[in-house]
Amino acid sequence: MLSGFNHLTLAVTDLNRSVSFYHEVLQLQLDATWDNGAYLSLPGLWLCLSLDPSRLSAPAVDYTHYALTASAQDFGEVVVRLRAAGVQEWRDNRSEGASFYFLDPDGHKLEVHVGDLTSRLHACRAQPYAGMKFYP
């Protein structure tokens, strides 16, 4: 039986640039580095950056992305910091809760979001998506 999400590994083309972005701009804790990778973390997230020169840095055209949590109080400050770092925005927020969608240096789609599954389900119960069903 599965008991949780273990870790996320992202292929990167420039390890130093990506470590700097995730540690200095996004403020993840830097836990370890080696020649071809790094481990960073947030509470509940173990992130591995893995050097892979074959990675295509163009963002995928689909909606796959990775969302990080920010408190409502910190959200504005985080967005200001990201914009000051020159991140590229890839989408406007269209859902419940404040969200900021941006790309990392390798084109991975990221989001900073205020809220959680409970708040999303509450909003969806008030305005369900087409064909939406809820389960106990």
Side-chain angles (χ1 to χ4, degrees), residues 8-10 12 18 21-23 25-28 42 45 47 49 55 59-60 62-69 75 78-79 82 87-93 99-113:
L8 174 65
T9 297
L10 299 177
V12 300
S18 292
F21 178 79
Y22 281 92
H23 179 60
V25 177
L26 292 182
Q27 300 182 335
L28 275 71
L42 287 171
L45 172 66
L47 175 66
L49 301 177
R55 159 101 180 134
D62 65 26
Y63 185 61
T64 300
H65 66 282
Y66 313 103
L68 304 167
T69 300
F75 180 78
V78 171
V79 172
L82 289 168
V87 300
Q88 180 182 342
E89 297 179 46
W90 64 272
R91 180 186 175 107
D92 292 327
N93 186 23
S99 284
F100 181 74
Y101 298 85
F102 61 101
L103 301 178
D104 81 352
D106 280 282
H108 295 287
K109 292 179 175 180
L110 303 173
E111 172 189 4
V112 173
H113 180 71

Side-chain angles (χ1 to χ4, degrees), residues 14-47:
D14 182 327
L15 184 61
N16 291 331
R17 176 185 69 182
S18 292
V19 167
S20 177
F21 178 79
Y22 281 92
H23 179 60
E24 295 171 18
V25 177
L26 292 182
Q27 300 182 335
L28 275 71
Q29 179 176 309
L30 181 60
D31 298 300
T33 60
W34 60 98
D35 291 348
N36 295 316
Y39 290 144
L40 298 101
S41 62
L42 287 171
L45 172 66
W46 165 18
L47 175 66

